[in-house]
Amino acid sequence: VCDAARDEPRSRRARLRRERESRILDAAAKVIADKGYYQATVREIADLADVADGTIYNYFENKFDLLIGIMSRVAELERLPRELTEALETGAQSFFVAAFHDRMGRIRQGEEALKAILPQVFVHPDLREQFYRQYVVRIATRLEAYVQAQIEAGQIRPVDVPLTVRLVQSMFVGLLVLRILGDEVLRVAWDDVPEALAELVFDGLSARSRE
Amino acid sequence: VCDAARDEPRSRRARLRRERESRILDAAAKVIADKGYYQATVREIADLADVADGTIYNYFENKFDLLIGIMSRVAELERLPRELTEALETGAQSFFVAAFHDRMGRIRQGEEALKAILPQVFVHPDLREQFYRQYVVRIATRLEAYVQAQIEAGQIRPVDVPLTVRLVQSMFVGLLVLRILGDEVLRVAWDDVPEALAELVFDGLSARSRE
Amino acid sequence: VCDAARDEPRSRRARLRRERESRILDAAAKVIADKGYYQATVREIADLADVADGTIYNYFENKFDLLIGIMSRVAELERLPRELTEALETGAQSFFVAAFHDRMGRIRQGEEALKAILPQVFVHPDLREQFYRQYVVRIATRLEAYVQAQIEAGQIRPVDVPLTVRLVQSMFVGLLVLRILGDEVLRVAWDDVPEALAELVFDGLSARSRE
Amino acid sequence: VCDAARDEPRSRRARLRRERESRILDAAAKVIADKGYYQATVREIADLADVADGTIYNYFENKFDLLIGIMSRVAELERLPRELTEALETGAQSFFVAAFHDRMGRIRQGEEALKAILPQVFVHPDLREQFYRQYVVRIATRLEAYVQAQIEAGQIRPVDVPLTVRLVQSMFVGLLVLRILGDEVLRVAWDDVPEALAELVFDGLSARSRE
DNA sequence: TATGAATGAGGGTTCATTCAT
DNA sequence: TATGAATGAACCCTCATTCAT
């Protein structure tokens, strides 16, 4: 009986905790994206998150752990949505358009986080591993299965599947990088990218294709 | 007696200087590529270059200047070679293959330097600007002219030229990134990339294309 | 319903409080003895005592106060026991043996507490004062009186009483230190120390003495 | 020929280096002896030594290494002097007096260093090991050999040699501790300690000894 | 010009203590 | 009264840069 009332505060505590952790990660993503990981100081992140320096260490092991936290949160964005799964059943190109749309949207959403993480990805093995799995392998696997199936269905011509998929992957990664680098053409035409990409990938540039 | 060396021709001194500068840049590229810019210490670079810490500051303004130096040296790799210029005259696809081959080769050559620079590109505006011009704009400009010409020649179907070129650029950048990230598929099949890329870009994946 | 416990007799509360305080001091002595005062964290002590960090501050002013508490508790060990007082009446050497036995035993008992306190004794004036009074002066006073009496009784030859007593005191302190430092010879032969000590102090090492 | 002149600066450099290291150790010993190891800040030591914080790290690995340095310097004080070795040849008691004199002198000389080190000796295994070897084992070994020889020569009566030596050792250690604790009796009568100690150890307190 | 020791600002991290619940 | 999260002062150490030799 005594502890009945405690349930409410416990959840309140938990909510407060989640909120605070989120505030810290937001602040970290912003500051690190702006200045780079090593130029960003924990102090500055704490200030922006409106907590004390020490508080950050109640939520994260150390400064680097903030990067991990940022990346993990981006990972949650990455769950495959229903519409995309449905598109897998339908025809080839519409799937691609849908998939591309999906990825472009995610890239835009997680841009700040990605900007914070990407430079360190090249440097830190752990982060690289995680990034690679999350942004390359996971999608590659799915694409490979898809391309293979479409080849068997006669929709896609026979190609070296893994290599081809890597090339498509490269485009995604490259688009991510160019966007982060601030390419104006891409920023302006971002919403047209999926269609253009699908056309490029399916029909190529050659005038003779598509008749 | 001690000053005997002073009588030597100026050119010898100049050569020594160039050699030393080169040794320093080599060392810097290696150490920074390995550990990342901020984890690489000037001391370590000096040790590897077999000079004293202070000596580095006779050749470079400061630590960051080493990055600029590394990038500039890569830029020299990038001069457009004769064969590529010639290819511009010939047919569409063969140009692409040649151009792709060229770029893949450069990426492999300058891999260490790129690995050293790339992470900082995202962070430092100056470097970003230089990288962007060198790796994106310069090639984009040439590609745009080329694609435009091919469209007019009826070899390439009408497309949004700047956007399409960006997509192709993205592939290059993405391939660079994936290679730096250590992708095994790409490392093994690196020499096949140009052809596969050309096929993808020209003919697309669709079974109906190419008849 | 929740407050049912409040009706309980005050003594129960008091007992609970004493128990808890004791648990905290035990934990503090153990952790501080292991790691040293500054390496021991309040958190760790709290964990070992199975209370929250903050609780400790309901029992002790601050971290340093724990040391005071530990030392005070050792002081309780130090009350002169009956047998020892009786020995004062009897002959010289048997008193010493008894007294030495007594001290050796106490040292062994309070070893952990002493190990926790001793290093800080050298540093902190308050602690030093208390330690000095408790471990040196208190015993010195008694010894001085005793030696003086024995001299007058012709049992002990005329010596510089305060200095001699200091020398004997030094042995006790030194034995304490060596034991804490983990001297193997002493650890093994600890029970033989009192007799050996008494012999040394009374008869000396010289072969000519004692016949 | 060119390098002839360098010899002089090299030795000058070396001298400067030794001087500086010494200044740092002096400062460290003083500050640490005053406030204790953990309360002493590197900044404060640097200030007293009149160097920059960072300079200390050109001479010592880290803060703890200062303690090692202090102890090592004390160790140099500890080389057995000629006169003591000679005393080994002569009669029993005179040796002791000489040896005691020697030790009392060293204790007084190295008092500050010892005060700095001793508290940490209880806490840090490495330091403890070194202290133990330097202050206990080294002397114990020599004493044991001596006592054994004197027993065989009939000068000292048969005793448990290792234990007896430990007891004498304890007195030294205890005197060191009491002096550091600031005992007034000892401070005033310090020069009388060797004789009193020798008398106590050789003849004991008993009135019947010495007839 | 090369050297490498001295410099000292700067930052990640710890942890005793407080206080709202 | 017990809790344990928040606090923020304090400190060791690193390392780019300078400069006397």
Side-chain angles (χ1 to χ4, degrees):
Chain A
V1 188
C2 295
D3 299 359
R6 274 193 209 152
D7 267 359
E8 189 269 336
R10 198 177 304 158
S11 70
R12 220 168 85 78
R13 276 270 177 100
R15 210 196 57 219
L16 233 68
R17 192 179 170 81
R18 271 199 313 279
E19 270 176 29
R20 211 166 255 230
E21 177 170 325
S22 195
R23 267 223 319 284
I24 292 172
L25 279 185
D26 286 343
K30 175 151 185 44
V31 175
I32 296 177
D34 276 8
K35 321 196 133 187
Y37 177 70
Y38 285 101
Q39 300 313 73
T41 68
V42 171
R43 176 81 45 100
E44 207 175 349
I45 292 169
D47 283 352
L48 188 60
D50 215 46
V51 297
D53 308 21
T55 304
I56 289 186
Y57 291 86
N58 287 335
Y59 290 83
F60 300 91
E61 282 286 314
N62 48 39
K63 192 185 174 188
F64 182 74
D65 206 28
L66 287 170
L67 282 184
I68 303 282
I70 291 169
M71 183 167 245
S72 302
R73 223 174 35 164
V74 175
E76 285 167 26
L77 272 181
E78 298 278 343
R79 310 212 174 291
L80 197 70
R82 192 168 11 105
E83 26 189 302
L84 206 60
T85 328
E86 282 166 5
L88 280 164
E89 326 288 278
T90 71
Q93 191 151 346
S94 66
F95 163 74
F96 263 81
V97 174
F100 292 174
H101 252 302
D102 181 63
R103 292 221 57 70
M104 297 304 111
R106 294 182 195 289
I107 285 175
R108 188 168 42 197
Q109 271 182 61
E111 189 171 8
E112 191 168 72
L114 285 165
K115 202 172 169 187
I117 288 164
L118 199 52
Q120 290 309 305
V121 163
F122 294 98
V123 168
H124 203 290
D126 285 5
L127 222 49
R128 164 152 41 184
E129 181 66 23
Q130 199 181 335
F131 177 89
Y132 189 70
R133 273 209 311 275
Q134 183 168 321
Y135 280 87
V136 183
V137 175
R138 204 170 51 85
I139 297 163
T141 311
R142 211 171 290 151
L143 277 180
E144 283 178 10
Y146 177 78
V147 168
Q148 190 61 50
Q150 294 297 321
I151 288 173
E152 280 156 18
Q155 299 278 358
I156 286 183
R157 63 186 167 83
V159 289
D160 178 337
V161 175
L163 183 54
T164 302
V165 163
R166 242 27 161 218
L167 296 180
V168 177
Q169 281 288 290
S170 291
M171 268 192 285
F172 285 124
V173 171
L175 284 165
L176 167 65
V177 170
L178 286 192
R179 188 177 164 94
I180 287 179
L181 288 184
D183 185 272
E184 269 312 304
V185 174
L186 280 182
R187 193 169 296 268
V188 170
W190 195 249
D191 290 332
D192 302 333
V193 167
E195 274 77 16
L197 198 44
E199 265 184 23
L200 175 64
V201 167
F202 273 90
D203 302 328
L205 297 175
S206 184
R208 71 179 174 277
S209 61
R210 280 252 230 171
E211 282 108 83
Chain B
V1 189
C2 296
D3 301 345
R6 272 200 208 148
D7 294 337
E8 284 171 20
R10 209 170 296 163
S11 70
R12 197 163 126 68
R13 293 207 133 200
R15 190 167 55 84
L16 231 69
R17 194 181 166 81
R18 271 200 313 281
E19 269 176 30
R20 211 166 251 219
E21 178 172 322
S22 192
R23 265 221 322 282
I24 293 173
L25 280 184
D26 286 344
K30 176 153 185 42
V31 175
I32 297 176
D34 275 10
K35 322 196 137 186
Y37 178 70
Y38 285 101
Q39 300 315 70
T41 67
V42 171
R43 173 79 47 101
E44 206 176 349
I45 293 168
D47 283 352
L48 188 60
D50 217 45
V51 297
D53 308 21
T55 304
I56 288 185
Y57 289 83
N58 287 331
Y59 291 82
F60 299 91
E61 279 289 313
N62 50 39
K63 190 184 174 187
F64 182 73
D65 206 28
L66 287 169
L67 282 185
I68 302 282
I70 292 170
M71 184 167 243
S72 302
R73 226 173 35 164
V74 176
E76 286 168 24
L77 271 182
E78 298 278 343
R79 307 213 174 290
L80 197 69
R82 191 167 12 102
E83 27 191 301
L84 206 59
T85 328
E86 283 166 3
L88 280 165
E89 326 289 278
T90 70
Q93 190 151 348
S94 67
F95 164 75
F96 262 80
V97 174
F100 291 174
H101 252 302
D102 181 63
R103 292 222 57 71
M104 297 303 111
R106 294 184 196 289
I107 286 175
R108 189 166 43 195
Q109 272 182 60
E111 190 171 7
E112 189 169 74
L114 284 166
K115 204 172 169 186
I117 288 164
L118 198 52
Q120 290 308 304
V121 163
F122 294 98
V123 168
H124 203 289
D126 287 5
L127 222 50
R128 163 150 48 182
E129 181 64 23
Q130 199 181 334
F131 178 89
Y132 190 69
R133 273 210 312 277
Q134 184 168 320
Y135 279 87
V136 183
V137 176
R138 203 168 52 84
I139 297 163
T141 310
R142 208 170 293 150
L143 277 179
E144 284 178 8
Y146 177 78
V147 168
Q148 190 59 50
Q150 294 296 323
I151 289 174
E152 281 157 15
Q155 298 279 357
I156 287 182
R157 61 185 169 81
V159 289
D160 177 337
V161 175
L163 182 55
T164 303
V165 164
R166 244 26 162 217
L167 296 180
V168 177
Q169 282 287 291
S170 291
M171 268 193 283
F172 286 124
V173 171
L175 285 165
L176 167 65
V177 170
L178 287 192
R179 186 175 167 93
I180 288 179
L181 289 185
D183 184 272
E184 269 311 303
V185 173
L186 280 182
R187 195 170 292 268
V188 168
W190 194 248
D191 291 331
D192 302 333
V193 166
E195 275 76 17
L197 198 44
E199 266 183 23
L200 175 65
V201 167
F202 274 91
D203 302 327
L205 298 175
S206 184
R208 69 179 176 277
S209 61
R210 281 252 228 171
E211 281 111 84
Chain C
V1 187
C2 296
D3 301 345
R6 273 199 207 146
D7 295 338
E8 287 172 18
R10 209 168 294 164
S11 71
R12 197 163 124 69
R13 293 208 133 201
R15 190 169 54 87
L16 231 68
R17 193 180 169 81
R18 270 200 314 281
E19 269 176 29
R20 211 166 250 220
E21 176 170 324
S22 192
R23 265 220 325 281
I24 292 173
L25 280 185
D26 286 343
K30 175 150 186 43
V31 175
I32 296 177
D34 275 9
K35 323 197 135 185
Y37 177 70
Y38 284 102
Q39 300 315 71
T41 66
V42 172
R43 173 81 47 100
E44 206 174 351
I45 293 169
D47 282 353
L48 188 60
D50 217 46
V51 297
D53 308 21
T55 304
I56 288 186
Y57 290 83
N58 288 332
Y59 291 83
F60 299 90
E61 279 289 311
N62 49 37
K63 190 183 174 189
F64 183 74
D65 206 28
L66 288 169
L67 282 184
I68 303 283
I70 291 168
M71 183 167 244
S72 303
R73 226 174 34 164
V74 176
E76 285 167 26
L77 271 180
E78 299 278 342
R79 309 212 175 290
L80 198 69
R82 190 171 12 105
E83 359 133 17
L84 206 59
T85 329
E86 283 166 5
L88 280 164
E89 326 288 279
T90 70
Q93 190 152 348
S94 67
F95 164 74
F96 262 81
V97 175
F100 292 173
H101 254 301
D102 181 62
R103 293 221 57 71
M104 297 304 111
R106 294 184 194 287
I107 286 176
R108 189 166 43 194
Q109 270 181 61
E111 191 171 7
E112 189 168 75
L114 284 166
K115 203 172 169 187
I117 288 164
L118 198 51
Q120 290 309 304
V121 163
F122 294 98
V123 168
H124 203 289
D126 287 4
L127 221 49
R128 164 151 47 181
E129 182 64 24
Q130 197 180 337
F131 178 89
Y132 191 69
R133 273 208 313 275
Q134 182 168 321
Y135 279 87
V136 183
V137 176
R138 203 170 51 86
I139 296 162
T141 311
R142 209 171 293 150
L143 277 179
E144 283 178 10
Y146 177 79
V147 168
Q148 190 61 51
Q150 294 296 322
I151 289 174
E152 280 156 19
Q155 299 278 358
I156 285 183
R157 63 186 167 83
V159 289
D160 178 338
V161 175
L163 182 55
T164 302
V165 164
R166 244 25 162 220
L167 296 180
V168 177
Q169 281 288 291
S170 291
M171 268 193 284
F172 286 124
V173 172
L175 284 166
L176 167 64
V177 170
L178 287 193
R179 186 174 167 95
I180 287 180
L181 289 184
D183 184 272
E184 268 312 302
V185 173
L186 280 181
R187 194 168 294 268
V188 169
W190 195 247
D191 291 330
D192 301 334
V193 167
E195 275 77 15
L197 197 44
E199 266 185 22
L200 174 65
V201 166
F202 273 90
D203 303 327
L205 297 175
S206 185
R208 71 179 175 275
S209 62
R210 271 253 227 182
E211 59 254 35
Chain D
V1 188
C2 295
D3 300 356
R6 276 192 207 152
D7 266 1
E8 188 269 337
R10 199 176 303 158
S11 71
R12 220 168 84 81
R13 276 270 176 98
R15 211 197 56 220
L16 233 69
R17 191 179 171 81
R18 272 199 312 280
E19 270 175 29
R20 211 165 257 228
E21 176 170 327
S22 195
R23 268 221 320 283
I24 292 172
L25 280 185
D26 286 343
K30 177 153 184 42
V31 176
I32 295 176
D34 276 9
K35 321 195 134 186
Y37 177 71
Y38 285 102
Q39 299 313 73
T41 68
V42 171
R43 176 80 45 101
E44 207 174 351
I45 293 169
D47 283 352
L48 188 60
D50 214 45
V51 296
D53 307 23
T55 303
I56 289 186
Y57 292 87
N58 287 335
Y59 291 83
F60 300 91
E61 282 286 313
N62 48 41
K63 191 184 174 188
F64 182 74
D65 205 29
L66 287 169
L67 282 184
I68 302 281
I70 292 168
M71 184 167 245
S72 302
R73 223 172 39 164
V74 176
E76 285 167 25
L77 272 181
E78 297 278 342
R79 309 210 174 292
L80 197 70
R82 191 167 12 105
E83 55 221 80
L84 207 59
T85 328
E86 282 166 5
L88 281 164
E89 326 289 277
T90 70
Q93 190 152 348
S94 68
F95 163 75
F96 263 81
V97 175
F100 292 174
H101 252 301
D102 180 64
R103 292 222 56 72
M104 297 304 112
R106 294 183 195 289
I107 286 175
R108 187 168 43 196
Q109 271 182 59
E111 189 172 7
E112 189 168 72
L114 285 166
K115 202 172 169 188
I117 288 164
L118 199 51
Q120 289 308 305
V121 162
F122 294 98
V123 168
H124 203 289
D126 286 6
L127 222 50
R128 165 152 43 183
E129 180 66 23
Q130 199 180 336
F131 177 89
Y132 190 69
R133 273 208 312 274
Q134 183 168 320
Y135 280 87
V136 182
V137 176
R138 204 170 52 85
I139 297 164
T141 310
R142 210 169 289 151
L143 277 180
E144 283 178 9
Y146 177 78
V147 168
Q148 189 62 49
Q150 293 297 323
I151 289 173
E152 280 156 18
Q155 298 279 358
I156 286 182
R157 62 185 168 83
V159 289
D160 177 338
V161 175
L163 181 55
T164 303
V165 164
R166 242 32 163 211
L167 296 180
V168 177
Q169 281 288 292
S170 291
M171 267 192 284
F172 286 124
V173 172
L175 284 166
L176 167 64
V177 170
L178 287 191
R179 188 176 165 93
I180 287 180
L181 289 184
D183 185 89
E184 269 312 304
V185 174
L186 279 182
R187 194 169 295 267
V188 168
W190 194 250
D191 291 330
D192 301 334
V193 167
E195 275 77 15
L197 197 44
E199 265 184 22
L200 175 63
V201 167
F202 274 91
D203 302 328
L205 297 175
S206 182
R208 69 179 178 276
S209 62
R210 285 253 231 173
E211 279 109 86

